[in-house]
């Protein structure tokens, strides 16, 4: 892993963290990415706290130090405390997370796995807790979190040590 | 015959998710319309990922956004057979992109500097950024398609069992 980023941002200070990142170097896609991030947080068919659990599960698997340090304001407002965030870990199945939250993590793990995909038991468990519309919504969120976190990681320069927890407003990361 | 869910056909399955899915579909379309990388090169990356995922449905999928170039059939076959790096049919720039894609897929954290530098040498910083964005979306869509196919198969099986009972 590189100690410094392969590519740096455009040097702008627009106030939007995505536009001011390296993604600002491709004008034809950056606005779509910003809009997508906003839509995921504002228009998804599951709660912000469940989205945050998916995002943090992804961040943990991808090992994006930046993503792991962020907490979205809407998820906190929805009641996701740090105590509950800490449960999104290896032993989540035996934790106090709700069955629906555990099923969401199982979906994230199926998506993130090598190979990606799921067995019948996992598929049945997810279908028991979520409608097909909700599953589609979570898949869109997972893809969004995954490609943005992997963009940060693949660009190099990721800190080795954990960063302080920082609250992120949807307004500065979404359109 | 039913067309399987793949990265190419995924938007139809996701549209039930509403505005976020529509937004993702717009991003997907925009990725293929950029000029930081040559026509067809992202499609070769998609086929590289399909091969690495050992996903026959994905390999067989026809991508209307791929971009036109006369040698696409030949290059696609070489990528699918994992013969791109030894073939004179690919330019150094194309080989640099495909090598970056393979590292990205294998371990996003461990892409050597020289591999990224080779991409930048041919396509500049914007080319590398577009590549990183596109690889994430392509891989994510292949993963999502696999999950949705598995869920659909499970649902069909349960419906068959219920019908018999």
């Amino acid at each position: 892993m590189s100690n410094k980023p392969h590519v740096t941002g455009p040097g702008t200070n627009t106030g939007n963290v995505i536009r001011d990142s390296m993604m600002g170097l491709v004008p034809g896609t950056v606005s779509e990415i910003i809009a997508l991030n906003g839509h995921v947080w504002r228009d998804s068919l599951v709660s912000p706290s469940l989205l945050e659990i998916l995002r943090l599960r992804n961040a943990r698997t991808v090992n994006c130090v930046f993503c792991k340090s962020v907490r979205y304001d809407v998820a906190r407002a929805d009641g996701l405390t740090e105590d509950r965030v800490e449960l999104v870990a290896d032993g989540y199945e035996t934790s106090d997370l709700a069955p629906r939250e555990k099923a969401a993590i199982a979906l994230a793990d199926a998506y993130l796995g090598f190979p990606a995909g799921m067995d019948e038991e996992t598929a049945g468990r997810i279908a028991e807790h979520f409608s097909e519309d909700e599953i589609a919504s979570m898949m869109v969120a997972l893809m969004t979190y995954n490609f943005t976190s992997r963009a940060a990681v693949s660009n190099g320069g990721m800190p080795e040590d954990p960063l302080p927890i920082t609250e992120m407003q949807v307004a500065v990361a979404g359109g | 015959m039913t067309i399987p869910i793949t990265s190419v056909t995924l938007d139809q399955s996701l549209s039930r998710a509403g505005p976020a899915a529509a937004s993702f579909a717009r991003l997907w379309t925009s990725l293929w319309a950029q000029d930081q990388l040559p026509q067809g090169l992202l499609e070769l990356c998609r086929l590289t990922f399909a091969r690495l995922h050992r996903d026959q449905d994905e390999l067989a999928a026809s991508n209307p956004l791929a971009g036109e170039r006369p040698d696409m059939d030949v290059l696609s076959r070489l990528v699918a057979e994992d013969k791109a790096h030894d073939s004179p049919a690919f330019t150094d720039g194309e080989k640099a992109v495909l090598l970056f894609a393979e590292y990205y897929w294998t371990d996003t954290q461990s892409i050597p500097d020289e591999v990224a530098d080779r991409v930048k040498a041919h396509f500049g910083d914007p080319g590398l950024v577009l590549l990183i964005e596109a690889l994430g979306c392509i891989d994510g869509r292949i993963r999502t398609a696999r999950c949705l196919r598995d869920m659909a198969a499970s649902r069909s099986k349960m419906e068959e069992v219920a019908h018999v009972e």
Side-chain angles (χ1 to χ4, degrees), chain A residues 129-149:
Chain A
H129 290 282
F130 297 102
S131 70
E132 289 186 56
D133 292 359
E134 289 174 322
I135 292 167
S137 189
M138 288 192 292
M139 297 308 307
V140 172
L142 270 171
M143 286 192 292
T144 304
Y145 302 145
N146 187 238
F147 97 79
T148 51
S149 63

Side-chain angles (χ1 to χ4, degrees), chain B residues 83-106:
Chain B
K83 294 177 178 172
H85 295 294
D86 298 325
S87 169
F90 294 83
T91 66
D92 286 346
E94 289 165 343
K95 288 180 179 178
V97 163
L98 295 177
L99 183 63
F100 187 95
E102 290 175 10
Y103 272 104
Y104 179 99
W105 189 88
T106 304

Side-chain angles (χ1 to χ4, degrees), chain A residues 1-2 6 23 28-29 36 39 63 111-114 116-118 120 132-133 137 139 143 150-151 153-154, chain B residues 14 16-17 20 23-24 34 104 108-109 113 116 120 126 129 132-133 136 139-140 143-144 146 150-151 155 157:
Chain A
M1 182 161 50
S2 178
H6 302 304
M23 291 181 176
T29 58
L36 172 61
H39 280 301
N63 196 23
Y111 170 93
L112 293 163
F114 284 89
M118 64 186 80
E120 281 184 35
E132 289 186 56
D133 292 359
S137 189
M139 297 308 307
M143 286 192 292
R150 289 174 84 188
V153 171
S154 63
Chain B
L14 294 180
R16 60 196 314 146
S23 185
F24 200 96
Q34 304 308 310
Y104 179 99
T108 313
Q109 297 184 81
D113 288 346
K120 287 200 295 182
V129 173
I132 286 171
E133 292 173 358
D139 193 52
R143 289 172 175 278
T144 294
R146 291 172 71 100
D150 287 349
M151 294 201 77
R155 205 162 38 243
K157 198 167 179 180

Side-chain angles (χ1 to χ4, degrees), chain B residues 16-108:
Chain B
R16 60 196 314 146
S23 185
F24 200 96
R26 285 193 296 274
L27 170 60
W28 177 245
T29 302
S30 75
L31 286 166
W32 300 91
Q34 304 308 310
D35 57 9
Q36 283 85 3
L37 295 171
Q39 285 271 311
L41 191 45
L42 292 182
E43 174 65 359
L44 298 175
C45 291
R46 185 186 71 80
L47 293 169
T48 297
F49 281 1
R51 170 173 57 78
L52 292 168
H53 277 288
R54 298 180 185 177
D55 191 325
Q56 294 305 314
D57 288 330
E58 191 68 36
L59 278 168
S62 174
N63 181 5
L65 300 173
E68 291 182 10
R69 52 188 287 177
D71 54 355
M72 198 62 192
D73 287 346
V74 174
L75 300 184
S76 296
R77 182 174 48 77
L78 288 167
V79 165
E81 294 173 354
D82 193 16
K83 294 177 178 172
H85 295 294
D86 298 325
S87 169
F90 294 83
T91 66
D92 286 346
E94 289 165 343
K95 288 180 179 178
V97 163
L98 295 177
L99 183 63
F100 187 95
E102 290 175 10
Y103 272 104
Y104 179 99
W105 189 88
T106 304
D107 182 2
T108 313

